[in-house]
DNA sequence: TCTGGGGTCCTAGGACCC
DNA sequence: TCTGGGGTCCTAGGACCC
């Protein structure tokens, strides 16, 4: 039985969270600001109606609008994380095929509803509202990309009343006609510009292209996107939460940093925070990345950006060792005479800390194993139905797996693969 | 004078997402 | 004066190896 996908997305999530415990804020324009109260990261519908844009710098909003009457909140991630968990718990009751995609979105795999999808999803929506106070919109379609599209209209169009069901790729066509390339999941302005230059100026036109041809020009990601628009699922439901692949701690500075000592302190702080996050997840790292740059919003100022990754010969979760490595990197990247605006530390090549303690972590082998794990996950999702065989008999395992993974549908003969 | 082919690993950076 | 933070995936190129 075909599994189809619902995308449930919380409306104006952070702004809605602020409202849950302060009902008097309902009906008023609310915005939530980023760290340092730098820019707008969430808006209620009323704030959107005032023309406040996502990501707009708060100081520009203030210049532009009389801010009297606009409710402004600094972000409160502890609250949003907690509300998110509550919403996800409710959603997970509706299906065993559940993927929490982001703090405010989840994909649900649904099968066997036999045309009763819409009442089912309306019930879901009402339950979330009743039990958490958060309004959600629901899009339903044969693929994730189309579910995203359906969700967009479910949210925007009053006639949908929060739910839009698309039975197949064909019923998506009218909606493809009514949006822009950049409204599609995976198309931002750069790709949209490249597509337009080729004469593909609308989502409908993109859906009408030849997927293989598009792969040649744009790569495997575009091929998947086109197929998904045509109703062919290429992006699977990830029902088990994947392990983190990187952990980042970065900040923009409140004021420019010109002193190396000051930068060293900042870097040490980021390392400590990232390492703490990592230990909480019982992980260790074998690769540390450091970056810093000047203020990109002031092109008239001297610009400098640099980053470097260092491979640690042993995976570790020890803050002191990581700090030493990071300061070492900083020594190589630092240039006097610049005003730095931002810096960050990323921990990569994460492995279970237990493996390190038991001496099981072998760096030379880790990429290969990662590839194997990914391929096996994909095959499990495919339940052995895949049809593409390993065309690489006799080549190395990693190469074969890599080719397999580049296939848009991740299909490999699992028995052959496991025999490799 | 000619100047392989296939593969791994590392690094850097682009593009996109929320 | 004032422009977030945390992620993922993919590609390309160079060093190196056989």
């Amino acid at each position: 039985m075909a599994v189809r996908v619902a995308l449930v997305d919380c409306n104006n999530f952070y702004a809605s969270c602020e409202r849950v415990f302060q009902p008097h804020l309902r009906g008023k324009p609310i915005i939530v600001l980023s760290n340092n109260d730098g820019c707008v990261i969430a808006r209620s519908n009323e704030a959107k109606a005032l023309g406040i844009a996502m990501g707009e710098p708060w100081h520009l909003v203030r210049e532009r609008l009389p801010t009297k009457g606009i409710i402004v909140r600094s972000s409160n991630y502890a609250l949003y994380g907690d509300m998110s968990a509550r919403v996800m718990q409710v959603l997970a009751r509706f299906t065993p095929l559940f993927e929490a995609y982001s703090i405010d979105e989840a994909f649900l795999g649904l099968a066997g509803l036999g045309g009763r999808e819409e009442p089912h999803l309306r019930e879901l929506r009402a339950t979330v509202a009743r039990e958490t106070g958060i309004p959600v919109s629901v899009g339903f379609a044969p693929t994730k990309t189309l579910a995203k599209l359906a969700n967009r209209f479910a949210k925007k169009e009053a006639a949908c009343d929060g739910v839009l069901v698309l039975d197949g790729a064909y019923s998506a066509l009218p909606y493809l006609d009514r949006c822009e390339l950049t409204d599609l999941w995976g198309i931002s302005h750069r790709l949209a510009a490249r597509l337009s230059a080729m004469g593909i100026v609308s989502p409908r036109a993109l859906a009408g292209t030849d997927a293989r041809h598009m792969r040649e020009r744009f790569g495997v990601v575009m091929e998947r996107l086109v197929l998904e628009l045509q109703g062919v699922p290429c992006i699977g439901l990830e029902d088990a939460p994947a392990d983190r692949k990187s952990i980042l701690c970065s900040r923009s500075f409140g004021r420019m940093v010109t002193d190396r000592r000051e930068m060293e302190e900042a870097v040490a702080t980021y390392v400590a925070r990232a390492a703490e996050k990592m230990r909480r997840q019982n992980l260790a790292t074998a690769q540390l990345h450091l970056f810093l740059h000047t203020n990109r919003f002031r092109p008239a100022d001297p610009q400098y950006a640099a980053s470097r990754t260092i491979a640690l010969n042993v995976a570790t979760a020890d803050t002191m060792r990581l700090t030493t490595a990071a300061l070492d990197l900083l020594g190589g990247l630092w240039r006097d005479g610049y005003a730095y605006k931002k810096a960050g530390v990323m921990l990569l090549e994460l492995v279970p800390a237990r493996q390190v303690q038991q001496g099981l972590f072998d760096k030379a082998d880790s990429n290969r194993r990662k590839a194997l794990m990914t391929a096996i996950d994909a095959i499990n999702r495919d339940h052995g139905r895949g049809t593409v065989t390993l065309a690489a008999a006799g080549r190395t395992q990693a190469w074969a797996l890599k080719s397999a993974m580049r296939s848009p549908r991740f299909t490999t003969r699992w028995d052959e693969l496991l025999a490799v």
Side-chain angles (χ1 to χ4, degrees):
Chain A
M1 189 174 316
V3 172
R4 289 183 291 164
V5 189
L7 173 64
V8 180
D9 189 323
C10 300
N11 300 345
N12 315 325
F13 184 54
Y14 296 168
S16 298
C17 287
E18 295 291 338
R19 264 177 185 163
V20 169
F21 300 104
Q22 293 178 280
H24 65 276
L25 297 181
R26 284 188 199 150
K28 296 190 178 146
I30 303 176
I31 62 175
V32 177
L33 301 180
S34 66
N35 270 23
N36 303 336
D37 290 346
C39 58
V40 177
I41 56 171
R43 311 151 295 155
S44 69
N45 287 343
E46 298 78 9
K48 289 178 188 172
L50 291 174
I52 300 173
M54 182 65 175
E56 194 174 354
W58 172 230
H59 70 97
L60 293 182
V61 179
R62 262 187 326 207
E63 270 169 32
R64 198 161 59 74
L65 285 176
T67 51
K68 201 161 156 256
I70 302 179
I71 317 283
V72 183
R73 292 277 184 273
S74 295
S75 38
N76 176 354
Y77 293 102
L79 170 67
Y80 310 147
D82 183 62
M83 291 304 298
S84 173
R86 294 192 204 188
V87 171
M88 298 300 173
Q89 274 168 21
V90 176
L91 294 178
R93 299 209 307 259
F94 281 77
T95 175
L97 289 177
F98 175 80
E99 174 189 347
Y101 174 67
S102 74
I103 194 164
D104 70 336
E105 279 172 278
F107 287 105
L108 280 61
L110 297 174
L113 285 169
R116 299 229 341 123
E117 289 85 5
E118 179 153 349
H120 186 72
L121 294 172
R122 291 206 179 278
E123 163 72 18
L124 173 150
R125 183 168 178 266
T127 307
V128 175
R130 192 172 61 240
E131 295 188 14
T132 70
I134 300 288
V136 300
S137 304
V138 188
F140 180 80
T143 67
K144 279 185 164 180
T145 304
L146 289 175
K148 272 276 192 184
L149 178 78
N151 187 285
R152 177 185 173 81
F153 284 93
K155 188 165 294 178
K156 249 179 36 173
E157 304 224 324
C160 291
D161 193 25
V163 177
L164 177 60
V165 170
L166 300 177
D167 303 319
Y170 186 75
S171 40
L173 291 179
Y175 296 96
L176 288 174
D177 278 333
R178 289 164 53 206
C179 59
E180 306 291 323
L181 281 173
T182 50
D183 296 333
L184 298 176
W185 192 37
I187 305 261
S188 193
H189 61 285
R190 270 168 245 259
L191 267 180
R194 281 178 66 196
L195 289 167
S196 299
M198 282 176 64
I200 301 166
V201 297
S202 72
R204 175 77 172 256
L206 182 61
T209 58
D210 176 64
R212 311 193 111 221
H213 177 69
M214 294 304 279
R215 181 198 183 119
E216 280 161 30
R217 297 227 177 174
F218 292 90
V220 64
V221 176
M222 180 63 80
E223 181 186 25
R224 274 178 216 155
L225 172 56
V226 170
L227 286 171
E228 285 247 325
L229 287 177
Q230 295 169 351
V232 180
C234 296
I235 307 172
L237 213 60
E238 314 275 346
D239 34 5
D243 283 341
R244 279 268 160 283
K245 294 183 177 164
S246 64
I247 290 172
L248 172 74
C249 183
S250 70
R251 290 286 181 282
S252 295
F253 303 123
R255 60 185 177 80
M256 304 293 191
V257 170
T258 51
D259 176 40
R260 178 160 166 181
R261 292 299 302 273
E262 219 176 306
M263 182 66 88
E264 285 173 352
E265 274 172 37
V267 166
T269 308
Y270 302 159
V271 170
R273 272 190 212 164
E276 200 188 314
K277 252 193 254 182
M278 180 172 68
R279 285 192 297 266
R280 236 181 288 135
Q281 300 177 49
N282 294 314
L283 297 170
T285 177
Q287 230 180 60
L288 186 143
H289 181 83
L290 175 71
F291 68 87
L292 40 83
H293 58 75
T294 52
N295 193 343
R296 297 165 196 261
F297 295 103
R298 309 189 65 169
D301 292 358
Q303 294 288 310
Y304 173 64
S307 69
R308 195 139 307 162
T309 308
I310 185 173
L312 309 167
N313 46 14
V314 179
T316 179
D318 182 72
T319 303
M320 281 304 293
R321 274 156 83 174
L322 293 171
T323 306
T324 308
L327 292 181
D328 213 41
L329 279 183
L330 179 59
L333 295 181
W334 178 265
R335 298 283 179 276
D336 278 321
Y338 290 101
Y340 294 93
K341 177 61 181 169
K342 183 171 178 173
V345 168
M346 206 189 303
L347 306 178
L348 297 147
E349 187 109 46
L350 300 173
V351 294
R354 183 173 31 82
Q355 276 185 20
V356 178
Q357 284 159 14
Q358 296 173 354
L360 295 176
F361 175 70
D362 170 10
K363 182 140 169 44
D365 208 34
S366 114
N367 281 349
R368 215 161 304 205
R369 250 182 316 145
K370 254 186 316 199
L372 185 60
M373 296 297 285
T374 311
I376 289 178
D377 281 352
I379 290 153
N380 286 340
R381 277 202 301 278
D382 200 46
H383 303 295
R385 279 178 285 118
T387 52
V388 178
T389 54
L390 290 178
R395 308 274 174 95
T396 70
Q397 180 189 50
W399 190 88
L401 291 171
K402 242 189 219 167
S403 331
M405 285 186 293
R406 277 183 191 144
S407 150
R409 294 209 60 208
F410 287 126
T411 45
T412 33
R413 283 270 297 282
W414 65 277
D415 49 341
E416 282 187 38
L417 183 75
L418 293 181
V420 169

